[in-house]
Amino acid sequence: MFDPKKPTVLLLGRWQPWHEGHLALFKRAFAKTGQVVIQVRDVKDSSGGKGQNDNPFSFEEISKDIQKKLLYHGYEFNKDYLIQLVPNITNITYGRGVGYKIEQEFFESDIESISATKIRADLRNKGKLKE
């Protein structure tokens, strides 16, 4: 069972859609604490900020996709991770350091080059996603 008192890594994103780069990020996050909270920004059909206007997937679609893909890799919902719907967060600020770090992860070029923009374009070209 997910333990809310245990150290946890937070992943915040649009996940439009969840892809192999996101999976690599999740695995790295999970290795740090053994549990992760994935927050999904509520951005369907709205702007997620400058250059982030293409958001065709709903929270429900994203959540189901994440659960399916993580289960395939052996991660269990409500045990290894939680998924939370959050507002369209565009800024994260904090005062003093109070026991957490904000870290950017870097990956090999094959992971860094994965683009959800390209994935959405491919889905549209194949007729699997409407304009």
Side-chain angles (χ1 to χ4, degrees):
M1 184 63 76
F2 192 91
D3 182 354
K5 301 258 184 207
K6 182 179 171 188
T8 305
V9 175
L10 170 67
L11 298 178
L12 169 67
R14 295 179 303 145
W15 322 114
Q16 293 277 329
W18 182 270
H19 55 63
E20 290 296 313
H22 298 143
L23 175 63
L25 181 62
F26 174 88
K27 287 180 176 181
R28 194 172 285 177
F30 185 81
K32 291 178 184 196
T33 62
Q35 64 181 32
V36 176
V37 170
I38 301 168
Q39 292 187 329
V40 180
R41 292 171 55 202
D42 189 9
V43 294
K44 181 177 178 11
D45 298 328
S46 66
S47 177
K50 185 176 178 164
Q52 298 180 3
N53 296 326
D54 186 10
N55 300 298
F57 300 105
S58 70
F59 168 75
E60 291 77 17
E61 292 169 310
I62 293 167
S63 183
K64 286 178 188 175
D65 190 42
I66 292 171
Q67 288 180 59
K68 177 182 168 186
K69 289 175 178 170
L70 289 180
L71 183 60
Y72 177 81
H73 290 276
Y75 298 99
E76 295 181 45
F77 182 71
N78 280 331
K79 178 183 173 220
D80 300 318
Y81 68 97
L82 298 177
I83 298 175
Q84 299 174 336
L85 175 65
V86 296
N88 186 8
I89 295 169
T90 58
N91 296 66
I92 298 174
T93 59
Y94 68 97
R96 294 176 280 145
V98 289
Y100 52 84
K101 296 185 236 178
I102 297 177
E103 302 174 310
Q104 181 176 359
E105 297 288 345
F106 297 93
F107 295 90
E108 297 77 23
S109 62
D110 60 326
I111 297 296
E112 290 279 349
S113 67
I114 297 172
S115 164
T117 301
K118 292 176 186 174
I119 292 169
R120 290 188 301 271
D122 186 52
L123 290 170
R124 287 186 176 104
N125 288 336
K126 292 178 180 175
K128 295 180 179 180
L129 183 62
K130 295 180 182 180
E131 291 294 323

